[in-house]
């Protein structure tokens, strides 16, 4: 077992932050504890586990050693006291919001969010009597107005960089605004990962992830997590998670622990490649606008420099054309894979208007900056010259 040191740098924490391998055997790669239940030593041990007199494992929906290790690791990387692993990123958003919202309450969400998060706000939460209000989070006055008008507001929810426009939001300012009104501030940190941005350091209360993306990094797992204070994670577990059961499988926790070990070097490669691709796209005659926080021309550039240590691997760009040209480009790429999701080693490309954001009403979608000609690119870690060649040949078709 490894004694985790607070002062370790992030790349060291990414490998050792869970506290080392298996205490029982010394295995450095933590075993996949593929078990649903655990044998009590005797009746008193069982009773003590249930009444909280003893620490230990009861049932894998409640806790599992491999999943626990992933939780320690992600909490360490985000600089949080505790974490809860979940079956998916959407389970993480739902659990995070429901920890503080009950029927009759509301939350304020950025209007530029992951498509599934918008769907959650639009048609799932109302069924529980919880109202999600989506507004433009780039304008603090608009956010404050929405908080003041909302009925029993409890949570402020946003993502930065935002999906799919890569808009950058001011984490510190929004955390202060949320706290001024007594709200729990939740940030979806999926795009940045704790390697590039640690929102808890800017005063945010809770960070959530779709671990499906960069944390896993290899496109082989669907998972999520929530990180925050111990008191918050206890409430999340007792009031929402344990009895709704969006549990992470032990195998998935193991894959994520493995993914995290290479997260720092993968993020470095994603950032370097994305910067090169963004600079190439800026000068491409078939590309009208490139949204990448790493470009000095980007409106979020200065803010991104302040709150991120790298600009990430996601690029959005607007092509010369509309909905049909967007689809045409999808049919022309050869190396890049046309797919939803992001953060894989493989370059993935998608056309939000016809796929991820097609559930939005067109006016709502365009107001959130998701135009018909917007393309979202998750730049992989292939050789950037090959990614560029592919985009170049595909854009020529337009
Ligand atoms: C993918 C994604 C989610 C949802 O995560 P799943 O693991 O697919 O449930 C939430 N937020 C962001 C920013 C995402 O990219």
């Amino acid at each position: 077992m490894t004694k985790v040191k607070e002062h370790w740098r992030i790349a060291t924490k990414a490998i050792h932050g869970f506290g080392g391998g298996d205490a029982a055997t010394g295995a450095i790669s933590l075993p996949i504890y593929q078990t649903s239940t655990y044998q009590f030593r005797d009746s008193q041990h069982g009773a003590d586990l249930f009444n909280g007199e003893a620490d230990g494992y009861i049932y894998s929906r409640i806790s599992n050693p491999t999943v626990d290790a992933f939780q320690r690791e992600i909490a360490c990387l985000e600089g949080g006291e505790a974490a809860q692993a979940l079956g998916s990123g959407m389970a993480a958003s739902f659990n995070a919001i429901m920890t503080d919202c009950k029927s009759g309450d509301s939350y304020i969400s950025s209007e530029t969010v992951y498509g599934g998060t918008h769907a959650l706000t639009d048609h799932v939460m109302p069924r529980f009597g919880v109202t999600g209000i989506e507004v433009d989070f780039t304008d603090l006055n608009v956010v404050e107005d929405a908080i003041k008008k909302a009925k029993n507001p409890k949570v402020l929810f946003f993502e930065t960089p935002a999906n799919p426009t890569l808009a950058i939001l001011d984490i510190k300012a929004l955390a202060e605004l949320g706290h001024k009104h007594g709200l729990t501030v939740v940030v979806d940190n999926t795009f940045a990962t704790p390697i590039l941005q640690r929102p808890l350091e800017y005063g945010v209360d809770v960070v959530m992830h779709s671990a499906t993306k960069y944390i896993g990094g290899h496109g082989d797992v669907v998972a999520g997590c929530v990180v925050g204070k111990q008191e918050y994670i206890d409430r999340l577990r007792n009031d929402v998670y344990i009895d709704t059961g969006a549990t992470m499988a032990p195998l998935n926790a193991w894959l994520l622990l493995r993914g995290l070990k290479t997260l720092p070097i993968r993020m470095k490669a994603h950032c370097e490649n994305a910067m090169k691709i963004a600079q190439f796209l800026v000068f491409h005659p078939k590309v009208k606008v490139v949204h990448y926080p790493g470009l000095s021309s980007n409106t979020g550039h200065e803010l991104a420099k302040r709150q991120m240590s790298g600009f990430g691997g996601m690029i959005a760009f607007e092509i010369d054309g509309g909905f049909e040209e967007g689809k045409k480009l999808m049919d022309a790429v050869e190396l890049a894979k046309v797919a939803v999701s992001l953060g894989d080693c493989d370059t993935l490309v998608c056309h939000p208007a016809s796929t991820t954001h097609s559930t939005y009403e067109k006016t709502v979608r365009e107001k959130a900056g998701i135009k018909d000609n917007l393309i979202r690119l998750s730049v992989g870690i292939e050789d950037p010259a090959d990614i560029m060649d592919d985009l170049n040949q595909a854009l020529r078709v337009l």
Side-chain angles (χ1 to χ4, degrees):
M1 298 297 279
T2 312
K3 192 166 172 348
V4 181
K5 304 241 165 68
E6 190 76 37
H7 68 264
W8 279 345
R9 281 90 178 164
I10 198 97
T12 308
K13 285 181 174 170
I15 294 170
H16 300 286
F18 70 101
D22 191 35
T25 62
I28 285 171
S29 167
L30 191 74
I32 304 163
Y33 280 93
Q34 192 69 34
T35 185
S36 53
T37 196
Y38 306 80
Q39 187 177 9
F40 306 141
R41 287 194 297 273
D42 51 35
S43 64
Q44 192 54 46
H45 181 222
D48 288 347
L49 284 169
F50 271 87
N51 66 26
E53 293 284 312
D55 262 351
Y57 295 97
I58 296 174
Y59 184 60
S60 280
R61 170 155 47 72
I62 301 170
S63 51
N64 170 282
T66 318
V67 176
D68 278 359
F70 167 68
Q71 291 174 170
R72 287 197 300 277
E73 176 76 46
I74 191 69
C76 173
L77 290 175
E78 286 288 1
E81 287 177 8
Q84 178 60 51
L86 292 124
S88 70
M90 286 316 305
S93 325
F94 179 74
N95 275 255
I97 293 167
M98 286 310 250
T99 298
D100 283 305
C101 289
K102 58 183 187 321
S103 180
D105 292 340
S106 65
Y107 62 97
I108 323 296
S109 163
S110 164
E111 65 190 2
T112 309
V113 284
Y114 179 70
T117 309
H118 169 72
L120 181 71
T121 296
D122 193 48
H123 64 259
V124 180
M125 288 304 198
R127 303 183 66 230
F128 293 86
V130 175
T131 309
I133 301 141
E134 289 183 341
V135 294
D136 178 4
F137 269 43
T138 58
D139 187 338
L140 294 181
N141 293 323
V142 169
V143 180
E144 183 152 41
D145 243 27
I147 298 171
K148 283 180 177 160
K149 285 200 193 110
K151 196 165 148 262
N152 303 325
K154 295 288 160 64
V155 174
L156 198 65
F157 186 100
F158 60 96
E159 49 183 68
T160 180
N163 182 62
T165 60
L166 279 303
I168 305 292
L169 298 176
D170 191 333
I171 301 173
K172 192 160 173 281
L174 284 162
E176 280 166 8
L177 181 63
H179 292 157
K180 182 178 154 196
H181 294 276
L183 308 188
T184 302
V185 182
V186 182
V187 170
D188 181 337
N189 202 28
T190 300
F191 272 36
T193 82
I195 305 305
L196 305 181
Q197 167 178 289
R198 286 178 295 283
L200 298 177
E201 292 176 359
Y202 293 93
V204 156
D205 304 292
V206 179
V207 165
M208 60 134 295
H209 282 278
S210 167
T212 312
K213 315 294 168 56
Y214 289 105
I215 290 177
H218 296 72
D220 50 16
V221 59
V222 172
C225 60
V226 178
V227 187
K229 290 231 157 66
Q230 186 68 55
E231 171 277 329
Y232 175 88
I233 296 297
D234 288 346
R235 277 197 295 122
L236 179 144
R237 287 175 57 76
N238 295 326
D239 295 347
V240 193
Y241 164 75
I242 288 176
D243 296 312
T244 51
T247 306
M248 177 183 287
L251 171 63
N252 290 355
W254 187 87
L255 286 166
L256 296 172
L257 275 169
R258 185 163 76 160
L260 281 171
K261 289 192 188 217
T262 57
L263 186 63
I265 57 165
R266 280 189 288 111
M267 290 318 289
K268 190 162 177 278
H270 283 297
C271 289
E272 283 171 11
N273 280 5
M275 189 58 136
K276 287 185 185 144
I277 305 294
Q279 281 164 343
F280 151 78
L281 288 172
V282 161
F283 293 108
H284 201 286
K286 295 284 174 65
V287 175
K288 294 217 292 220
V289 191
V290 179
H291 304 279
Y292 183 62
L295 297 172
S296 55
S297 58
N298 189 270
T299 49
H301 180 66
E302 289 306 318
L303 186 53
K305 268 206 310 207
R306 252 188 286 146
Q307 62 189 27
M308 302 176 78
S309 60
F311 303 108
M314 297 300 298
I315 298 175
F317 60 98
E318 295 171 28
I319 51 169
D320 190 9
F323 194 85
E324 285 312 314
E325 284 73 19
K327 288 178 71 185
K328 221 175 185 175
L329 184 70
M330 296 302 100
D331 291 330
V333 289
E334 290 170 349
L335 171 67
K337 296 185 172 94
V338 183
V340 297
S341 199
L342 58 107
D344 291 2
C345 296
D346 311 43
T347 293
L348 305 177
V349 64
C350 90
H351 178 222
S354 65
T355 56
T356 52
H357 290 69
S358 60
T359 61
Y360 280 57
E361 269 180 57
K362 190 170 156 129
T363 48
V364 177
R365 176 160 59 76
E366 300 222 320
K367 187 166 176 289
I370 305 151
K371 298 182 190 159
D372 279 349
N373 64 346
L374 188 81
I375 305 297
R376 190 187 76 173
L377 185 68
S378 171
V379 179
I381 58 174
E382 301 97 339
D383 191 304
D386 291 325
I387 305 171
M388 248 178 270
D389 284 350
D390 184 38
L391 291 172
N392 204 18
Q393 68 78 25
L395 284 163
R396 214 175 293 138
V397 175
L398 298 184

